[in-house]
Amino acid sequence: METKKPTDDVLKGKKKKSIFKVPHTYVLLFGIIVFATLLTYVLPAGEFNRVENESTGRMVIEPNSYQIIESNPQGIFDIFKAIPTGMENVGYIIFFVFIVGGAFGIIQATGAIDAGIGYTIKKLGGKELLIIPIFMFIFSLGGATMGLAEELLPFYPIAVALAIRLGFDSITGTSLVLLGSGAGFAGAFLNPFTIGISHGIAELPMFSGMGFRFVLYAVLVLVTILYVYRHAMKVKKNPEKSPMYELDKKRDYQLDVSKLGNFSKRHRLVLSIFVIGLLVIAYGVTQNGWYITELAATFLILGILAGLVGGLDINRTAEEFVKGASAMTYGALVIGVASGISVVLSDGRVMDTIVNGLAQAISFMPTIIAPIGMFISQSLLNFFIPSGSGQAAATMPIMIPVADLAGMTRQTAVLAFQLGDGITNVFNPTSAYFMAGLALAGIPWDKWVKWVWPLILIWSLVACVFLIVASLINYGPF
């Protein structure tokens, strides 16, 4: 018998490390900018004629007007110039993100959110079955109205401990937060970081088409609650049915609800201010045509009021605003860096060439199916640009003219982006917040994906149905 010789790594007591490592988002985006620069040498330069749409007043591409023009390939220095230029182009969006993040930071610092959840847990004592729909609904509102994702990471250990203590499993606990907020994010009707930014780029009235998205939100949240509820009941009857049974047995989770704080009058006032603020925003965008500047100002007022009412003095309110804004630095800068992609393609005069190619590809699809093709494209892109706002900045400048040429409404194109980005967020291994959430919950990625994939298929089916309906009704206003 031949004896295998031990490798040097084994003799040294070292384990081989995986060669492949997922690049940082900024590295991926910079790589895409470099690739876009190479395209300016490979693709022919071209442009469409732009004309003003009489009904909307927006500049749109004139169909069949594409023509080849003199090329303008970009150089090495242009690659680096594209990033600050892109940041300048979308500066109003970047500062909007900072202001909204600062406002949310103040609200979080008042303890109103934590105390509200603790109060709900206490009130539901002995009624553990109600925990699933109530908490998933609460977290879904956070995803649908505030785009909450990273901000919810502290709740994962709490939710897992709660679920195990009530006779469920860690997957149920994780689902309360991840799938609750994920369903709300995918079907968001008032998310400033995805819908707000996309509407700004598409020149759509801010948060228009809210009624249709609210129905989508309700359907996604309902099917998600039923999916998690069915799993929880199965585990409640037979714990061994859980994919996490062996791992959960090793946990010794004790939930100390008292650490979540008492739900005081101040906390009630803070949450009331937040709800009133959302209603004011809804009224402003639907009745007064508010845009990003007005929205940013409203969030700023909302944050200041919440801080003062919530017991924070003026200096502490300012400090928490800075902390909240700084927490958004990663995502805000992603928007600027991603915008550099369109700068290179536009300055290199190949943006319209790419738009023309995509439009030709989509033209072979029936008009009713074209939004699904865009949805699939956005889903794939999310693995490379896992930031919703960053993906909007990178892809909307391309997808909007494609929609114009394909006879698809811009609102439908935004919906395709929203669904493509949102659905993949709950299993995307390149998403930092998602992987951090699983780590906090102690759930291996492969076990989670194996359990959640049927729900992903259901979500995707719902997305396709709504996109087809949007195509049939010319979901607008345009």
Side-chain angles (χ1 to χ4, degrees):
M1 181 184 293
E2 182 180 350
T3 304
K4 291 185 178 180
K5 188 176 180 179
T7 63
D8 290 339
D9 285 340
V10 174
L11 291 173
K12 293 177 183 178
K14 297 180 179 179
K15 293 182 179 180
K16 286 188 176 181
K17 294 183 178 180
S18 174
I19 297 175
F20 177 75
K21 185 178 180 180
V22 177
H24 191 280
T25 302
Y26 290 157
V27 175
L28 282 170
L29 288 173
F30 186 78
I32 296 173
I33 292 175
V34 173
F35 178 70
T37 303
L38 294 176
L39 289 180
T40 66
Y41 289 87
V42 176
L43 297 177
E47 67 177 6
F48 288 98
N49 294 330
R50 262 98 175 157
V51 296
E52 184 176 340
N53 186 295
E54 294 181 359
S55 61
T56 65
R58 267 70 179 180
M59 297 301 293
V60 297
I61 287 174
E62 185 179 3
N64 303 319
S65 66
Y66 177 78
Q67 57 186 333
I68 301 296
I69 60 174
E70 184 180 353
S71 64
N72 184 37
Q74 301 293 282
I76 294 177
F77 193 48
D78 293 316
I79 294 174
F80 295 93
K81 284 170 57 181
I83 295 176
T85 301
M87 290 184 175
E88 181 180 352
N89 291 345
V90 295
Y92 68 103
I93 295 177
I94 292 174
F95 285 109
F96 170 70
V97 169
F98 278 131
I99 289 174
V100 174
F104 289 159
I106 295 171
I107 294 171
Q108 185 77 27
T110 65
I113 296 176
D114 292 9
I117 289 178
Y119 174 81
T120 306
I121 290 174
K122 293 174 184 177
K123 286 294 182 180
L124 291 175
K127 301 175 183 178
E128 63 270 15
L129 299 183
L130 294 176
I131 287 287
I132 296 172
I134 291 177
F135 271 79
M136 291 189 75
F137 174 68
I138 291 172
F139 286 120
S140 75
L141 284 178
T145 61
M146 295 185 285
L148 296 186
E150 293 91 340
E151 298 83 357
L152 298 178
L153 287 176
F155 294 106
Y156 282 81
I158 296 172
V160 169
L162 173 65
I164 292 177
R165 187 184 181 193
L166 294 177
F168 303 128
D169 64 347
S170 56
I171 284 181
T172 303
T174 302
S175 298
L176 297 181
V177 185
L178 179 58
L179 294 184
S181 62
F185 197 97
F189 50 89
L190 200 67
N191 183 343
F193 301 112
T194 52
I195 299 170
I197 291 173
S198 296
H199 278 179
I201 295 172
E203 298 182 288
L204 284 160
M206 194 59 63
F207 298 125
S208 55
M210 195 185 302
F212 187 82
R213 289 195 305 276
F214 189 83
V215 176
L216 169 65
Y217 158 80
V219 172
L220 285 176
V221 171
L222 178 60
V223 298
T224 306
I225 289 175
L226 292 175
Y227 186 86
V228 175
Y229 192 91
R230 179 174 177 271
H231 167 78
M233 292 302 94
K234 184 168 62 174
V235 170
K236 184 82 170 177
K237 293 178 180 177
N238 184 1
E240 294 183 8
K241 293 286 186 179
S242 169
M244 290 293 296
Y245 175 68
E246 294 297 333
L247 292 176
D248 283 350
K249 281 200 305 182
K250 300 175 182 178
R251 302 177 193 252
D252 184 23
Y253 274 159
Q254 296 296 322
L255 179 65
D256 188 357
V257 179
S258 63
K259 290 184 178 180
L260 294 176
N262 294 321
F263 193 45
S264 66
K265 290 183 179 179
R266 285 185 180 273
H267 294 143
R268 290 183 173 88
L269 284 174
V270 169
L271 294 182
S272 297
I273 287 173
F274 176 71
V275 172
I276 293 171
L278 291 181
L279 294 175
V280 170
I281 288 172
Y283 179 82
V285 298
T286 57
Q287 302 300 318
N288 296 328
W290 282 9
Y291 213 54
I292 285 181
T293 300
E294 290 82 5
L295 292 181
T298 305
F299 275 114
L300 191 57
I301 295 171
L302 196 159
I304 293 172
L305 289 177
L308 297 179
V309 171
L312 308 181
D313 59 34
I314 296 176
N315 287 337
R316 174 77 187 284
T317 299
E319 289 171 0
E320 296 301 336
F321 177 85
V322 172
K323 288 181 183 178
S326 64
M328 304 303 296
T329 301
Y330 172 87
L333 293 182
V334 163
I335 298 171
V337 177
S339 184
I341 300 169
S342 59
V343 170
V344 168
L345 295 176
S346 295
D347 290 352
R349 301 175 182 171
V350 296
M351 175 73 86
D352 282 4
T353 300
I354 294 173
V355 169
N356 183 59
L358 288 172
Q360 292 295 328
I362 290 180
S363 67
F364 288 103
M365 302 179 185
T367 305
I368 197 172
I369 301 297
I372 296 177
M374 193 172 285
F375 159 67
I376 294 172
S377 299
Q378 295 287 11
S379 298
L380 294 174
L381 286 169
N382 197 37
F383 287 92
F384 301 99
I385 312 175
S387 163
S389 52
Q391 189 178 340
T395 63
M396 283 294 99
I398 297 175
M399 294 303 182
I400 292 304
V402 168
D404 289 343
L405 284 172
M408 184 192 312
T409 65
R410 293 186 176 189
Q411 193 76 266
T412 302
V414 170
L415 184 67
F417 151 71
Q418 174 187 337
L419 289 165
D421 169 63
I423 290 176
T424 49
N425 279 338
V426 299
F427 70 94
N428 180 9
T430 64
S431 171
Y433 97 84
F434 163 69
M435 295 303 288
L438 287 190
L440 288 170
I443 299 178
W445 181 79
D446 58 326
K447 286 185 178 294
W448 172 261
V449 172
K450 185 177 180 180
W451 176 79
V452 82
W453 74 264
L455 178 63
I456 300 302
L457 291 180
I458 296 171
W459 278 8
S460 299
L461 179 61
V462 171
C464 290
V465 170
F466 272 82
L467 287 170
I468 290 173
V469 172
S471 182
L472 289 173
I473 65 173
N474 288 318
Y475 180 40
F478 54 85

